[in-house]
Amino acid sequence: MKKKLITILVLSMFIILLGSSFLVKSEKNSSSTTLPSYFSWRDKDGIDYVTDIRSQGPFASCESFAITAAIEAMVQIKVGYPFGCDLSEAHLFFNSNGSQLEWGTFPESDLRYLQKYGIPDEACFPYPKQKMLYPPNTSLPGWENRTVKITNWSYLPSNNITAIKNALITKCPVPTYLHFDEDCRIYKNGIYKHIWGKSVAVHLRTIVGYNDDPGYWICKNSWGKAWGDNGWFKIKYGECSIEELPIYIEEVYGTFPIVYVDDDNTIGPWNGTKENPYQTIKDGITHAYEKWAVYVKNGTYYENIVINKTIQLDGENNTNTIIDGSHNGDVIRIENAPGTKIS
């Protein structure tokens, strides 16, 4: 599905590119007849709230990737639109218990760490490609002020399809274990069902939806887009013990990687939150970190803007969010900010 588009109308514009023990959550097993036959966070009312496919290589960090995928989606759901939330799997992996390079960490360690310390944005600790141990102080100084935390977590009832569906519909994607079998290596598309080969590993993936016709989970993997269906896969209900240890994350809070701007906030205070947005786009960009989003509320902004860091600049809509440079040179100039998006 297409991402929801948030558009800025730019007048007279020339854009120049310059270069503890865990809990087990008990829920009543609601009748499946009360649930929709199909649901997916990739297509919730036409909007895809799930972040892009990534690759965990060269580390055995599937737990960190699967849990981070769920948290990123939760942040975007809470914000109200998919703004490209990108949190640091490396920080979570190496700080929670990622000292075993060959077999990784435990989801309980990741989740307890998220409750106590949280996870910062990707720019604080970009995911490394060289296989080696990275000390906890690898993250940028001040990362503690840029974290998303969780309130609580639990395991859902084991082998309860309805409980997973309820968690998906009422809250967010569900990280879960499964047994990775040999024939899973060559999966390309369709609905996976184990046919041959033995289980070679236990792997954590993220359930983002389901379809009762004919009965499968929609899952996000962390092996890059070259594997499976561009990194995604469907797996039949009951296969590979996928419903045995599903994880329910209750709520997210903290510093989300997005800054708000509203020209109606003329008297302050100004700190870039939704409650206290900056008054100008320039201030929003100045206070945003690399790879953050700057969300501009409706209004006419008489500014000439220089974007000198990689950000995503989003307007509330394409009719009433206007940047007017008053014919005073370039309205938006992008300097040394590869990957910057304006929509």
Side-chain angles (χ1 to χ4, degrees):
M1 298 299 298
K2 293 183 178 178
K3 299 280 186 179
K4 180 181 179 183
L5 296 178
I6 310 291
T7 310
I8 293 177
L9 175 65
V10 181
L11 303 182
S12 310
M13 182 178 76
F14 297 91
I15 298 178
I16 299 181
L17 305 178
L18 299 183
S20 77
S21 59
F22 54 80
L23 304 172
V24 176
K25 187 178 182 66
S26 59
E27 295 184 356
K28 292 181 179 180
N29 191 4
S30 303
S31 171
S32 60
T33 59
T34 65
L35 299 174
S37 62
Y38 167 82
F39 179 87
S40 175
W41 282 111
R42 297 190 69 193
D43 180 18
K44 179 67 168 65
D45 301 324
I47 303 171
D48 183 356
Y49 287 98
V50 187
T51 51
D52 289 340
I53 293 293
R54 299 176 191 143
S55 176
Q56 69 181 68
F59 301 100
S61 53
C62 63
E63 293 89 353
S64 298
F65 271 77
I67 292 169
T68 299
I71 293 173
E72 288 175 341
M74 291 179 74
V75 168
Q76 297 194 146
I77 293 164
K78 193 166 186 176
V79 166
Y81 84 102
F83 63 90
C85 182
D86 192 358
L87 303 177
S88 176
E89 296 92 349
H91 178 94
L92 181 59
F93 178 65
F94 287 105
N95 283 272
S96 63
N97 194 30
S99 59
Q100 302 294 329
L101 295 185
E102 300 306 320
W103 58 264
T105 181
F106 298 97
E108 296 87 356
S109 298
D110 284 12
L111 292 158
R112 286 194 292 265
Y113 185 90
L114 287 164
Q115 281 184 279
K116 187 173 183 178
Y117 301 105
I119 179 173
D121 55 278
E122 176 72 7
C124 286
F125 190 167
Y127 199 71
K129 297 302 180 184
Q130 183 178 357
K131 191 173 184 179
M132 57 177 282
L133 282 175
Y134 291 84
N137 62 1
T138 300
S139 296
L140 289 176
W143 64 265
E144 300 92 342
N145 302 316
R146 297 162 58 172
T147 59
V148 177
K149 296 182 179 181
I150 65 172
T151 56
N152 207 351
W153 67 276
S154 59
Y155 280 110
L156 291 168
S158 183
N159 300 314
N160 189 318
I161 290 175
T162 302
I164 298 175
K165 289 180 179 180
N166 276 321
L168 282 168
I169 293 170
T170 61
K171 184 59 66 175
C172 65
V174 174
T176 189
Y177 274 120
L178 57 76
H179 289 280
F180 169 60
D181 296 316
E182 288 179 291
D183 59 351
C184 191
R185 297 180 191 272
I186 60 172
Y187 170 83
K188 289 297 181 183
N189 52 51
I191 303 169
Y192 173 77
K193 183 181 184 301
H194 174 60
I195 297 175
W196 59 269
K198 62 182 180 180
S199 175
V200 294
V202 176
H203 185 52
L204 209 71
R205 299 180 181 182
T206 312
I207 300 175
V208 302
Y210 67 87
N211 194 337
D212 288 335
D213 184 16
Y216 60 83
W217 301 112
I218 304 166
C219 300
K220 180 181 182 181
N221 199 12
S222 54
W223 292 343
K225 294 183 178 180
W227 179 87
D229 188 1
N230 292 313
W232 301 90
F233 82 113
K234 301 170 183 176
I235 181 170
K236 184 180 177 182
Y237 294 158
E239 283 295 311
C240 305
S241 302
I242 191 170
E243 296 101 3
E244 189 171 324
L245 285 172
I247 297 168
Y248 177 84
I249 301 171
E250 291 197 2
E251 191 57 84
V252 292
Y253 70 100
T255 302
F256 298 165
I258 183 170
V259 169
Y260 292 88
V261 177
D262 189 348
D263 63 345
D264 287 337
N265 187 16
T266 58
I267 60 174
W270 304 283
N271 59 17
T273 62
K274 184 179 290 188
E275 297 76 19
N276 302 302
Y278 293 112
Q279 188 179 6
T280 68
I281 300 173
K282 179 182 178 181
D283 282 345
I285 294 172
T286 298
H287 290 90
Y289 293 103
E290 288 279 341
K291 296 186 177 181
W292 280 36
V294 177
Y295 181 83
V296 184
K297 296 284 285 183
N298 284 340
T300 300
Y301 297 81
Y302 296 96
E303 300 185 54
N304 297 86
I305 300 164
V306 176
I307 300 176
N308 55 8
K309 66 183 73 169
T310 301
I311 62 167
Q312 179 163 317
L313 182 62
D314 293 331
E316 186 172 359
N317 64 50
N318 65 353
T319 302
N320 299 313
T321 310
I322 302 168
I323 305 175
D324 189 341
S326 300
H327 302 281
N328 187 25
D330 303 323
V331 176
I332 299 178
R333 178 183 290 262
I334 302 176
E335 298 179 348
N336 303 315
T340 288
K341 300 177 181 178
I342 301 173
S343 64

